[in-house]
Short mmCIF file of all heavy atoms in Angstrom, two decimals:
data_model
loop_
_atom_site.label_atom_id
_atom_site.label_comp_id
_atom_site.label_asym_id
_atom_site.label_seq_id
_atom_site.Cartn_x
_atom_site.Cartn_y
_atom_site.Cartn_z
N PRO A 1 0.79 -1.25 -0.05
CA PRO A 1 -0.01 0.05 0.10
C PRO A 1 0.91 1.23 0.02
O PRO A 1 1.91 1.28 0.72
CB PRO A 1 -0.78 -0.11 1.33
CG PRO A 1 -0.85 -1.56 1.72
CD PRO A 1 0.51 -2.11 1.13
N TYR A 2 0.45 2.28 -0.73
CA TYR A 2 1.27 3.52 -0.90
C TYR A 2 2.62 3.23 -1.49
O TYR A 2 3.50 3.99 -1.43
CB TYR A 2 1.43 4.20 0.41
CG TYR A 2 0.06 4.75 0.99
CD1 TYR A 2 -0.42 4.05 2.16
CD2 TYR A 2 -0.66 5.74 0.47
CE1 TYR A 2 -1.65 4.35 2.65
CE2 TYR A 2 -1.91 6.14 1.04
CZ TYR A 2 -2.27 5.37 2.17
OH TYR A 2 -3.60 5.81 2.69
N GLY A 3 2.76 2.19 -2.34
CA GLY A 3 3.92 1.77 -2.92
C GLY A 3 4.40 2.81 -4.09
O GLY A 3 5.57 2.61 -4.44
N ALA A 4 3.52 3.69 -4.53
CA ALA A 4 3.97 4.68 -5.47
C ALA A 4 4.33 5.95 -4.90
O ALA A 4 4.86 6.96 -5.52
CB ALA A 4 2.94 4.96 -6.53
N HIS A 5 4.04 6.17 -3.57
CA HIS A 5 4.34 7.46 -2.80
C HIS A 5 5.90 7.86 -2.88
O HIS A 5 6.74 6.92 -2.78
CB HIS A 5 3.86 7.39 -1.41
CG HIS A 5 4.05 8.57 -0.60
ND1 HIS A 5 5.19 8.93 0.03
CD2 HIS A 5 3.27 9.60 -0.40
CE1 HIS A 5 5.00 10.12 0.61
NE2 HIS A 5 3.94 10.62 0.35
N PRO A 6 6.18 9.06 -3.15
CA PRO A 6 5.28 10.24 -3.14
C PRO A 6 4.57 10.57 -4.51
O PRO A 6 4.03 11.69 -4.63
CB PRO A 6 6.20 11.46 -2.69
CG PRO A 6 7.62 10.90 -3.22
CD PRO A 6 7.48 9.42 -3.24
N SER A 7 4.85 9.65 -5.54
CA SER A 7 3.99 9.95 -6.75
C SER A 7 2.60 9.51 -6.45
O SER A 7 2.17 8.92 -5.45
CB SER A 7 4.71 9.19 -7.82
OG SER A 7 4.51 7.88 -7.79
N SER A 8 1.75 9.66 -7.53
CA SER A 8 0.27 9.29 -7.29
C SER A 8 0.09 7.97 -7.73
O SER A 8 0.80 7.33 -8.54
CB SER A 8 -0.50 10.41 -8.07
OG SER A 8 -0.28 10.19 -9.51
N CYS A 9 -1.11 7.47 -7.34
CA CYS A 9 -1.64 6.16 -7.80
C CYS A 9 -3.15 6.29 -7.79
O CYS A 9 -3.80 5.89 -7.04
CB CYS A 9 -1.25 5.00 -6.93
SG CYS A 9 -1.70 3.38 -7.68
N TYR A 10 -3.58 7.03 -8.92
CA TYR A 10 -5.01 7.29 -8.97
C TYR A 10 -5.67 5.91 -9.32
O TYR A 10 -5.16 5.04 -10.10
CB TYR A 10 -5.31 8.25 -10.09
CG TYR A 10 -4.89 9.66 -9.73
CD1 TYR A 10 -3.69 10.31 -10.28
CD2 TYR A 10 -5.53 10.40 -8.78
CE1 TYR A 10 -3.35 11.50 -9.94
CE2 TYR A 10 -5.20 11.68 -8.32
CZ TYR A 10 -3.98 12.18 -9.00
OH TYR A 10 -3.59 13.47 -8.48
N PRO A 11 -6.96 5.63 -8.83
CA PRO A 11 -7.75 6.61 -8.05
C PRO A 11 -7.56 6.61 -6.58
O PRO A 11 -8.20 7.21 -5.86
CB PRO A 11 -9.15 6.19 -8.40
CG PRO A 11 -9.07 4.57 -8.50
CD PRO A 11 -7.74 4.40 -9.17
N ASP A 12 -6.50 5.91 -6.10
CA ASP A 12 -6.36 5.75 -4.68
C ASP A 12 -5.73 6.95 -4.10
O ASP A 12 -6.23 7.31 -2.92
CB ASP A 12 -5.33 4.51 -4.42
CG ASP A 12 -5.86 3.23 -4.76
OD1 ASP A 12 -6.62 2.62 -3.99
OD2 ASP A 12 -5.77 2.71 -5.97
N TYR A 13 -4.74 7.57 -4.57
CA TYR A 13 -4.24 8.81 -3.91
C TYR A 13 -3.52 9.67 -4.87
O TYR A 13 -3.02 9.25 -5.92
CB TYR A 13 -3.33 8.42 -2.80
CG TYR A 13 -2.19 7.38 -3.10
CD1 TYR A 13 -0.98 7.83 -3.58
CD2 TYR A 13 -2.50 6.02 -2.85
CE1 TYR A 13 -0.01 6.85 -3.82
CE2 TYR A 13 -1.49 5.12 -3.12
CZ TYR A 13 -0.32 5.45 -3.64
OH TYR A 13 0.71 4.58 -3.97
N ALA A 14 -3.55 11.06 -4.55
CA ALA A 14 -2.84 12.04 -5.28
C ALA A 14 -1.29 11.93 -5.00
O ALA A 14 -0.82 11.36 -4.03
CB ALA A 14 -3.37 13.40 -5.05
N TYR A 15 -0.51 12.70 -5.77
CA TYR A 15 0.90 12.79 -5.47
C TYR A 15 1.06 13.76 -4.33
O TYR A 15 0.39 14.65 -4.11
CB TYR A 15 1.73 13.09 -6.72
CG TYR A 15 1.97 14.54 -6.98
CD1 TYR A 15 3.31 15.12 -6.98
CD2 TYR A 15 1.00 15.42 -7.51
CE1 TYR A 15 3.57 16.36 -7.26
CE2 TYR A 15 1.21 16.67 -7.83
CZ TYR A 15 2.50 17.20 -7.67
OH TYR A 15 2.82 18.52 -8.00
N ASP A 16 2.20 13.56 -3.56
CA ASP A 16 2.52 14.35 -2.33
C ASP A 16 3.51 15.38 -2.76
O ASP A 16 4.73 15.23 -2.65
CB ASP A 16 3.20 13.33 -1.31
CG ASP A 16 3.21 14.00 0.10
OD1 ASP A 16 3.15 15.18 0.20
OD2 ASP A 16 3.22 13.20 1.10
N ARG A 17 2.89 16.54 -3.03
CA ARG A 17 3.66 17.71 -3.40
C ARG A 17 4.63 18.14 -2.38
O ARG A 17 5.74 18.47 -2.66
CB ARG A 17 2.76 18.77 -3.93
CG ARG A 17 3.46 19.93 -4.46
CD ARG A 17 2.60 21.01 -4.96
NE ARG A 17 3.27 22.17 -5.66
CZ ARG A 17 3.85 23.25 -5.06
NH1 ARG A 17 3.71 23.34 -3.76
NH2 ARG A 17 4.47 24.12 -5.76
N ALA A 18 4.13 18.12 -1.10
CA ALA A 18 5.06 18.63 -0.11
C ALA A 18 6.19 17.70 0.05
O ALA A 18 7.43 18.22 0.32
CB ALA A 18 4.22 18.66 1.20
N HIS A 19 6.08 16.42 0.07
CA HIS A 19 7.14 15.40 0.14
C HIS A 19 8.07 15.59 -0.99
O HIS A 19 9.33 15.59 -0.82
CB HIS A 19 6.61 14.08 0.40
CG HIS A 19 7.66 13.11 0.66
ND1 HIS A 19 8.01 12.70 1.98
CD2 HIS A 19 8.70 12.46 -0.14
CE1 HIS A 19 9.06 11.77 1.89
NE2 HIS A 19 9.49 11.69 0.60
N ILE A 20 7.59 15.72 -2.19
CA ILE A 20 8.42 15.84 -3.30
C ILE A 20 9.20 17.13 -3.31
O ILE A 20 10.50 17.15 -3.56
CB ILE A 20 7.63 15.86 -4.70
CG1 ILE A 20 7.09 14.42 -4.96
CG2 ILE A 20 8.52 16.20 -5.85
CD1 ILE A 20 6.25 14.18 -6.11
N GLY A 21 8.65 18.24 -2.73
CA GLY A 21 9.32 19.50 -2.53
C GLY A 21 10.47 19.32 -1.51
O GLY A 21 11.47 19.76 -1.68
N GLU A 22 10.25 18.54 -0.49
CA GLU A 22 11.30 18.22 0.55
C GLU A 22 12.40 17.50 -0.08
O GLU A 22 13.54 17.85 0.20
CB GLU A 22 10.67 17.38 1.67
CG GLU A 22 11.66 17.04 2.87
CD GLU A 22 10.94 16.15 3.85
OE1 GLU A 22 9.79 15.90 3.79
OE2 GLU A 22 11.77 15.78 4.77
N TYR A 23 12.22 16.51 -1.01
CA TYR A 23 13.26 15.78 -1.58
C TYR A 23 13.93 16.65 -2.60
O TYR A 23 15.23 16.61 -2.46
CB TYR A 23 12.73 14.56 -2.41
CG TYR A 23 13.76 14.03 -3.26
CD1 TYR A 23 14.79 13.10 -2.68
CD2 TYR A 23 13.85 14.31 -4.58
CE1 TYR A 23 15.85 12.70 -3.42
CE2 TYR A 23 14.96 13.89 -5.26
CZ TYR A 23 15.91 13.08 -4.79
OH TYR A 23 16.99 12.56 -5.51
N VAL A 24 13.30 17.51 -3.33
CA VAL A 24 13.97 18.30 -4.35
C VAL A 24 14.93 19.35 -3.74
O VAL A 24 15.97 19.62 -4.14
CB VAL A 24 12.89 19.11 -5.30
CG1 VAL A 24 13.62 20.15 -6.12
CG2 VAL A 24 12.24 17.99 -6.09
N ARG A 25 14.48 20.02 -2.52
CA ARG A 25 15.30 20.90 -1.78
C ARG A 25 16.61 20.17 -1.18
O ARG A 25 17.71 20.71 -1.32
CB ARG A 25 14.45 21.59 -0.73
CG ARG A 25 13.50 22.54 -1.23
CD ARG A 25 12.86 23.28 -0.02
NE ARG A 25 11.98 22.42 0.80
CZ ARG A 25 10.70 22.12 0.54
NH1 ARG A 25 10.13 22.76 -0.59
NH2 ARG A 25 10.03 21.36 1.35
N ALA A 26 16.36 18.95 -0.76
CA ALA A 26 17.58 18.22 -0.28
C ALA A 26 18.50 17.88 -1.36
O ALA A 26 19.74 17.86 -1.21
CB ALA A 26 17.04 16.99 0.55
N ALA A 27 17.94 17.39 -2.47
CA ALA A 27 18.83 16.89 -3.54
C ALA A 27 19.52 18.16 -4.24
O ALA A 27 20.62 18.11 -4.68
CB ALA A 27 17.92 16.29 -4.64
N ALA A 28 18.84 19.31 -4.25
CA ALA A 28 19.43 20.57 -4.74
C ALA A 28 20.67 20.93 -3.95
O ALA A 28 21.69 21.36 -4.42
CB ALA A 28 18.53 21.55 -4.89
N GLN A 29 20.56 20.89 -2.62
CA GLN A 29 21.54 21.15 -1.68
C GLN A 29 22.74 20.07 -1.74
O GLN A 29 23.87 20.40 -1.61
CB GLN A 29 21.14 21.22 -0.24
CG GLN A 29 20.28 22.52 -0.06
CD GLN A 29 19.76 22.52 1.38
OE1 GLN A 29 20.60 22.55 2.34
NE2 GLN A 29 18.41 22.46 1.56
N GLY A 30 22.41 18.82 -1.91
CA GLY A 30 23.38 17.85 -1.94
C GLY A 30 24.00 17.67 -0.65
O GLY A 30 23.50 18.18 0.48
N GLY A 31 25.08 16.89 -0.53
CA GLY A 31 25.84 16.78 0.60
C GLY A 31 25.03 16.24 1.79
O GLY A 31 24.28 15.32 1.73
N ALA A 32 25.23 16.95 3.04
CA ALA A 32 24.59 16.47 4.23
C ALA A 32 23.09 16.51 4.19
O ALA A 32 22.37 15.68 4.77
CB ALA A 32 25.05 17.33 5.45
N ALA A 33 22.47 17.54 3.42
CA ALA A 33 20.98 17.65 3.31
C ALA A 33 20.40 16.38 2.57
O ALA A 33 19.48 15.75 2.99
CB ALA A 33 20.65 18.91 2.63
N LEU A 34 21.10 15.98 1.51
CA LEU A 34 20.65 14.85 0.79
C LEU A 34 20.85 13.51 1.52
O LEU A 34 20.01 12.71 1.59
CB LEU A 34 21.45 14.73 -0.55
CG LEU A 34 21.03 13.63 -1.44
CD1 LEU A 34 19.42 13.62 -1.69
CD2 LEU A 34 21.81 13.68 -2.83
N GLU A 35 21.96 13.39 2.22
CA GLU A 35 22.20 12.25 3.07
C GLU A 35 21.13 12.23 4.31
O GLU A 35 20.67 11.02 4.63
CB GLU A 35 23.66 12.30 3.73
CG GLU A 35 24.73 11.97 2.63
CD GLU A 35 24.56 10.57 2.16
OE1 GLU A 35 24.20 9.63 2.88
OE2 GLU A 35 24.80 10.43 0.89
N ASP A 36 20.91 13.35 4.78
CA ASP A 36 19.81 13.24 5.79
C ASP A 36 18.38 12.86 5.30
O ASP A 36 17.74 12.00 5.95
CB ASP A 36 19.58 14.78 6.39
CG ASP A 36 18.55 14.84 7.49
OD1 ASP A 36 18.80 14.25 8.57
OD2 ASP A 36 17.49 15.44 7.30
N TYR A 37 18.07 13.24 4.06
CA TYR A 37 16.85 12.73 3.49
C TYR A 37 16.89 11.32 3.24
O TYR A 37 15.97 10.50 3.61
CB TYR A 37 16.56 13.44 2.12
CG TYR A 37 15.36 12.84 1.48
CD1 TYR A 37 14.06 13.41 1.64
CD2 TYR A 37 15.39 11.65 0.65
CE1 TYR A 37 12.95 12.93 1.06
CE2 TYR A 37 14.32 11.16 0.08
CZ TYR A 37 13.12 11.72 0.31
OH TYR A 37 12.01 11.03 -0.26
N LEU A 38 17.99 10.74 2.69
CA LEU A 38 18.08 9.33 2.50
C LEU A 38 18.07 8.50 3.84
O LEU A 38 17.41 7.46 3.82
CB LEU A 38 19.54 9.05 1.64
CG LEU A 38 19.60 9.51 0.25
CD1 LEU A 38 21.02 9.38 -0.35
CD2 LEU A 38 18.58 8.79 -0.53
N GLN A 39 18.85 9.08 4.79
CA GLN A 39 18.79 8.39 6.03
C GLN A 39 17.43 8.36 6.75
O GLN A 39 16.88 7.29 7.38
CB GLN A 39 19.80 9.07 7.08
CG GLN A 39 19.82 8.51 8.46
CD GLN A 39 20.21 7.00 8.66
OE1 GLN A 39 20.89 6.62 7.71
NE2 GLN A 39 19.64 6.33 9.63
N ARG A 40 16.60 9.46 6.50
CA ARG A 40 15.35 9.56 7.13
C ARG A 40 14.26 8.69 6.50
O ARG A 40 13.38 8.08 7.11
CB ARG A 40 14.84 11.04 7.18
CG ARG A 40 13.58 11.31 7.81
CD ARG A 40 13.20 12.72 7.86
NE ARG A 40 11.91 12.94 8.55
CZ ARG A 40 11.27 14.16 8.66
NH1 ARG A 40 11.88 15.20 8.15
NH2 ARG A 40 10.18 14.28 9.25
N TYR A 41 14.32 8.64 5.15
CA TYR A 41 13.24 7.96 4.39
C TYR A 41 13.64 6.75 3.69
O TYR A 41 12.76 6.00 3.14
CB TYR A 41 12.80 8.98 3.34
CG TYR A 41 11.97 10.14 4.00
CD1 TYR A 41 12.54 11.46 3.89
CD2 TYR A 41 10.85 9.91 4.69
CE1 TYR A 41 11.82 12.52 4.49
CE2 TYR A 41 10.10 11.08 5.31
CZ TYR A 41 10.76 12.36 5.15
OH TYR A 41 10.10 13.41 5.81
N VAL A 42 14.89 6.41 3.54
CA VAL A 42 15.27 5.21 2.67
C VAL A 42 16.27 4.27 3.41
O VAL A 42 15.82 3.27 3.92
CB VAL A 42 15.98 5.78 1.37
CG1 VAL A 42 16.22 4.48 0.38
CG2 VAL A 42 15.14 6.78 0.70
#
């Protein structure tokens, strides 16, 4: 369940814009910010 998150899987759920934004900001910074995202969510 929620195996497509943070992308959408209609009709079950919309994509998670806030979470994607969190990832993009971390990926844009790179370094410690990106490592923190990976550690927190992956």
Side-chain angles (χ1 to χ4, degrees):
Y2 298 104
H5 184 272
S7 71
S8 64
C9 185
Y10 292 107
D12 293 273
Y13 48 89
Y15 90 112
D16 192 338
R17 185 176 186 273
H19 186 97
I20 290 178
E22 180 181 355
Y23 170 79
V24 171
R25 288 188 292 273
Q29 292 180 56
L34 183 53
E35 284 301 317
D36 181 68
Y37 177 92
L38 292 173
Q39 175 63 28
R40 183 175 180 186
Y41 294 113
V42 186

